[in-house]
Amino acid sequence: MKDGFGREINYLRLSLTDRCNLRCVYCMPMQGLTFVPGAELLTAEELEKVVCAAVDVGFNKVRLTGGEPTLRQDVVDIVRRLARIEGVDQLVMTTNGYRLPYIAQDLAAAGLKRVNIHVDSLNKDGLAKIMRLGSFDKAWAGIEAAEKAGLTPIKLNAVITRDYNDSAAVELARLTLEKSWQIRFIELMPFAGPTEIQLENYVSSDEVKSWIEAELGPLFPINEGKLDGEARVYRLAGSLGTIGFISPVSNPYCDDCNRMRLTADGRLRMCLLTEGELDFRQTLRSGGNHRDLVALFERAIQAKPVGHSLRSGLFAENRTMSQIGG
Ligand code: SAM
Ligand code: SF4
């Protein structure tokens, strides 16, 4: 289904929980957090109903995210239920990977196709500094478990944050010389919530690219520099893998946006960086049926804003990234 600006909306991101086992500096504070009570999270059955309605309005790609989606005890059941819905062509997950050594095989058997794993540094101390409570060994074990379970092609996500993990950009890019993975650099976005990150910690994709080229040589655009999903993708000479830049701040891709996000507490958010939401949980829990959910999706698609206003200094203050799911 097309929105009011002619964009085909077909990609739904579901935040399964706002809880996390890590506290990345730009995402969650160490203290003072409150979480959605368990009873207010959508159940596996409710998520299934939402996705059944979504496919009826044309969604065909679903990503599970969070918080940390693998913290849901019923994550394998959720995958199994969503994977069998006709019309869900791609079911994928974004995770920090820590629990993958325990559940990657089960997730794959339940129908998950691939994972994006978040790792901000390849250096033990560096990783602990930016992904507080993080451990490089656990992240690496998660990546290996995902590969072994066939949750491929592997994509690694990193947010380069000045004074925290600047040097990780080149380390991560170098990995593509020997691994067939895609390393994706996501620009830091401003969100509400008491994180210790300030505007000065933002690093643009162009700056990250210049650091990589200075050390490792020129980056050659793939797909003529056009967007592949939300990333502009490049490759180093002779590399097995690729490098993607996701630049919502310096080079917004709102004109090509095809997605909506369901928050952990069941609100459908029309734009990551704009505050508007529609309450699916209330519809589900007040006796709403499939047709009501379809109608709510249709309303949401018509109400999707043309884009965000980060360039004018405006950002959404009603949610943190961990509640929305990135
Ligand atoms: N816990 C999982 C993970 O870390 O991949 C899934 C949820 S996390 C919110 C999804 C993605 O959002 C991660 O790649 C993370 O780096 C990114 N992220 C979190 N806060 C961000 C921010 N303020 N700006 C840009 N990306 C952010
Ligand atoms: Fe957790 Fe992901 Fe947020 Fe890091 S970015 S604190 S891993 S939800």
Side-chain angles (χ1 to χ4, degrees):
M1 183 175 166
K2 287 197 170 151
D3 74 357
F5 303 96
R7 297 170 295 193
E8 193 77 46
I9 308 301
N10 59 8
Y11 178 12
L12 182 62
R13 299 173 65 107
L14 302 176
S15 174
L16 300 188
T17 173
D18 56 346
R19 289 169 197 265
C20 189
N21 42 357
L22 305 188
R23 294 287 182 270
C24 300
V25 288
Y26 46 74
C27 182
M28 288 171 96
M30 286 301 275
Q31 267 139 21
L33 287 159
T34 50
F35 296 108
V36 177
E40 290 179 21
L41 296 174
L42 294 196
T43 63
E45 196 184 333
E46 287 171 331
L47 288 164
E48 189 178 357
K49 286 182 184 167
V50 169
V51 175
C52 281
V55 296
D56 271 9
V57 293
F59 286 87
N60 58 11
K61 175 172 178 182
V62 176
R63 178 174 298 276
L64 306 180
T65 175
E68 177 46 44
T70 60
L71 293 188
R72 278 281 291 247
Q73 291 305 314
D74 56 352
V75 64
V76 174
D77 180 40
I78 292 172
V79 167
R80 192 173 301 112
R81 284 169 182 265
L82 303 191
R84 68 185 179 207
I85 297 172
E86 207 172 318
V88 175
D89 301 332
Q90 285 190 65
L91 180 61
V92 297
M93 179 184 281
T94 297
T95 168
N96 60 36
Y98 285 44
R99 296 206 64 245
L100 288 180
Y102 313 104
I103 59 170
Q105 296 286 353
D106 291 345
L107 289 172
L112 191 72
K113 292 290 178 244
R114 49 179 195 81
V115 285
N116 286 24
I117 300 179
H118 168 201
V119 52
D120 285 334
S121 172
L122 298 176
N123 169 293
K124 215 171 160 187
D125 296 336
L127 192 97
K129 181 173 177 190
I130 183 138
M131 299 177 79
R132 296 172 302 196
L133 315 183
S135 131
F136 174 70
D137 291 344
K138 287 189 183 165
W140 199 256
I143 297 168
E144 287 183 335
E147 268 208 310
K148 200 164 158 215
L151 295 169
T152 53
I154 298 280
K155 293 185 180 177
L156 301 187
N157 291 341
V159 177
I160 299 301
T161 308
R162 202 180 304 282
D163 299 334
Y164 285 88
N165 65 339
D166 323 44
S167 60
V170 171
E171 290 168 25
L172 284 159
R174 191 178 277 120
L175 262 188
T176 64
L177 294 172
E178 54 194 61
K179 300 281 186 189
S180 59
W181 302 339
Q182 182 172 102
I183 314 294
R184 292 145 52 102
F185 296 104
I186 306 172
E187 283 182 343
L188 181 69
M189 289 174 267
F191 277 95
T195 65
E196 59 186 67
I197 291 304
Q198 307 293 325
L199 261 183
E200 306 86 75
N201 300 107
Y202 163 82
V203 185
S204 70
S205 294
D206 280 351
E207 197 172 356
V208 175
K209 188 163 171 269
S210 72
W211 295 341
I212 295 170
E213 293 195 305
E215 281 290 321
L216 303 174
L219 281 166
F220 300 98
I222 296 178
N223 196 19
E224 295 163 355
K226 292 195 202 107
L227 279 173
D228 173 10
E230 67 272 63
R232 290 188 171 77
V233 185
Y234 297 78
R235 131 182 338 277
L236 290 164
S239 71
L240 296 179
T242 56
I243 298 175
F245 293 94
I246 301 179
S247 319
V249 181
S250 67
N251 199 349
Y253 37 84
C254 302
D255 289 351
D256 293 297
C257 184
N258 62 346
R259 64 201 61 192
M260 299 234 169
R261 299 169 168 86
L262 195 73
T263 62
D265 54 355
R267 265 80 166 180
L268 190 80
R269 200 167 165 97
M270 276 77 85
C271 163
L272 172 64
L273 296 158
T274 313
E275 294 188 356
E277 296 176 353
L278 288 176
D279 193 343
F280 272 59
R281 192 184 65 200
Q282 197 206 7
T283 301
L284 280 160
R285 294 193 181 173
S286 58
N289 60 21
H290 179 77
R291 292 231 313 265
D292 297 322
L293 294 175
V294 168
L296 210 49
F297 268 118
E298 287 170 347
R299 238 177 86 198
I301 290 174
Q302 288 317 318
K304 185 169 166 66
V306 65
H308 65 70
S309 310
L310 282 187
R311 284 214 170 131
S312 325
L314 299 175
F315 61 92
E317 301 203 45
N318 62 338
R319 293 278 187 180
T320 60
M321 187 66 137
S322 54
Q323 292 168 326
I324 311 168

